[in-house]
Amino acid sequence: MIGYGFMGAAHSVGWRQAPRMFDLPVDVEMAVVVGRNADAVATAARRWGWAESASDWREVIARDDIDIVDIVTPGDSHAEIAIAALQAGKHVLVEKPLANTVAEAEAMADAAAAADDGVRAMVGFTYRRVPAVTLLRDLIAAGKVGRVQEVRASYRQDWLVDPETPLAWRLQKEHAGSGALGDIGAHIIDMTQFVTGQSVAAVSGTVETIVTQRPLLGAGSGLSGTAAEGYGEVTVDDVALFTGRLDGGALVSFEATRFATGRKNALAIEVSGDKGALRFELEDLNTLQFYDRTAPAELQGFTRILVTESAHPYVAAWWPAGHVLGYEHGFVHQAKDLVEAIAGGTAPHPSFAEGLAVQRVLDAVEQSAADDSRWVRIEAHQPASA
């Protein structure tokens, strides 16, 4: 695993728990975690259960005993590391969003397509693997809501409301690519496409930076920016609001913000169809709300489904019904699915091509916002080998 911050902790839980809770077809060894600060990454290795630590990712991906490279670094290094790992014949998992730019994402998708037969690549849109979200997708595919007519998707947080919150890497474009749009907006774009089985075909949107300067983290932070009395410039968006149209014709409203006061991690999606509707909220992640429009009038109304039955996706490996799961379980399911795909010789999802599709939507939103919110169509990628 390359990187060891917040996502490093989450991915480590996934790798540690997946072989213990699921009957995987092969053994998994947490071999080495990589970071630039040798002391800090050694501490992370001990804490999270990695056999060793290292500070040079190039040396690690060249090792014969490494089969999978898991990339949890900031977005500005995703392309370089992932392409090198694929060319070295390693399977690759990259935390979302796939890259910082469309060009980088295209190069990564092309590298995955050109990799040796049997080499797999996956992007970490982990919320797909929350059991309630997978169930929501399955119910839509089974026709429970009928024809999808409208989608509302939002991801709201408030961790930047305080203007004295320091200038972290997520607030600088050269490191993060974009702000709320790419950080959390990528999740709701992917989730919309995942659960509906449709692609976002066009978007119209706007973005806003509410706090334009923040306190610098100090010397040695690795961040850039012109300091003004101890402050640096915020070069990404704080809020992104945009409308999309699916290729099936339905409209989608998207909201991604890190300025929704009082909202901590409020991802929500509601899919409305001519036969019913489904709603999921991450802050109540063990439940799904279902409205059946075909039921008798006296029985109509949103029904709460507790997604903890053994018949529900992933749940049979865990606890008795009603004994709820949490945020970290999605990362366990992610590790399980990747290992099973590699061992079974199948393509894991979401693929780099799917990650590129999300990147194209993000780019289209930025284009629209820069041009008076005009509608921008999303074009399909033509692989380099085509």
Side-chain angles (χ1 to χ4, degrees):
M1 183 175 73
I2 302 172
Y4 60 97
F6 165 41
M7 278 297 104
H11 281 232
S12 296
V13 170
W15 289 117
R16 190 168 61 247
Q17 290 294 91
R20 291 162 175 79
M21 301 308 298
F22 292 90
D23 186 17
L24 298 183
V26 293
D27 293 333
V28 175
E29 176 190 354
M30 295 171 62
V32 56
V33 58
V34 184
R36 288 178 295 184
N37 185 315
D39 291 339
V41 75
T43 298
R46 291 191 297 271
R47 177 176 297 169
W48 299 336
W50 294 88
E52 60 180 287
S53 62
S55 56
D56 188 333
W57 63 263
R58 293 173 181 85
E59 290 182 358
V60 169
I61 67 172
R63 286 169 42 167
D64 292 336
D65 64 330
I66 301 299
D67 300 307
I68 299 174
V69 174
D70 183 0
I71 303 168
V72 295
T73 58
D76 58 336
S77 59
H78 284 186
E80 181 184 12
I81 300 172
I83 292 171
L86 289 166
Q87 291 175 344
K90 312 301 183 184
H91 309 292
V92 177
L93 171 63
V94 178
E95 182 54 34
K96 65 80 214 163
L98 184 61
N100 279 2
T101 68
V102 169
E104 290 173 345
E106 287 177 343
M108 294 170 73
D110 288 343
D116 292 342
D117 186 40
V119 173
R120 307 300 178 185
M122 188 171 84
V123 59
F125 284 108
T126 319
Y127 293 139
R128 287 186 175 205
R129 293 177 163 85
V130 173
V133 174
T134 308
L135 178 62
L136 191 160
R137 187 275 311 267
D138 293 346
L139 292 174
I140 291 175
K144 294 298 184 182
V145 305
R147 180 171 59 88
V148 174
Q149 296 176 317
E150 181 185 0
V151 181
R152 300 180 65 185
S154 62
Y155 202 155
R156 296 181 294 163
Q157 300 174 339
D158 73 351
W159 62 278
L160 288 178
V161 171
D162 183 354
E164 294 303 304
T165 298
L167 186 70
W169 69 264
R170 292 183 185 274
L171 304 177
Q172 293 200 306
K173 190 174 182 66
E174 64 265 35
H175 297 293
S178 64
L181 176 62
D183 183 23
I184 54 180
H187 274 302
I188 54 178
I189 294 167
D190 180 73
M191 187 175 290
T192 296
Q193 296 187 139
F194 172 64
V195 302
T196 63
Q198 300 181 33
S199 298
V200 177
V203 292
S204 168
T206 187
V207 299
E208 182 79 12
T209 303
I210 295 174
V211 176
T212 58
Q213 288 195 330
R214 290 185 177 275
L216 294 171
L217 286 172
S221 68
L223 299 176
S224 61
T226 303
E229 297 181 351
Y231 282 73
E233 183 181 3
V234 175
T235 52
V236 299
D237 59 279
D238 290 323
V239 179
L241 302 174
F242 53 107
T243 303
R245 187 177 295 277
L246 299 180
D247 56 10
L251 284 174
V252 188
S253 67
F254 292 101
E255 176 187 5
T257 176
R258 301 188 293 208
F259 271 76
T261 303
R263 300 297 181 183
K264 303 306 175 184
N265 203 34
L267 181 155
I269 187 167
E270 184 168 327
V271 181
S272 301
D274 59 351
K275 292 183 180 179
L278 286 158
R279 178 172 176 82
F280 167 78
E281 298 183 22
L282 182 62
E283 290 181 346
D284 189 16
L285 60 74
N286 288 277
T287 67
L288 193 60
Q289 299 288 332
F290 174 50
Y291 184 93
D292 183 2
R293 188 171 171 271
T294 68
E298 65 271 20
L299 297 178
Q300 287 187 9
F302 274 93
T303 299
R304 178 176 179 269
I305 302 171
L306 183 62
V307 189
T308 61
E309 297 290 338
S310 60
H312 290 143
Y314 301 106
V315 177
W318 295 102
W319 320 123
H323 293 67
V324 296
L325 303 187
Y327 172 76
E328 72 279 8
H329 291 83
F331 295 92
V332 181
H333 303 156
Q334 174 175 265
K336 164 199 176 291
D337 287 348
L338 178 56
V339 169
E340 288 181 343
I342 292 170
T346 60
H349 293 280
S351 65
F352 276 18
E354 291 169 276
L356 169 58
V358 172
Q359 202 76 44
R360 287 187 171 279
V361 178
L362 297 174
D363 183 69
V365 173
E366 290 189 318
Q367 291 181 47
S368 175
D371 193 10
D372 293 329
S373 301
R374 70 177 175 89
W375 279 91
V376 176
R377 294 198 59 81
I378 290 92
E379 304 297 334
H381 174 57
Q382 299 299 321
S385 59

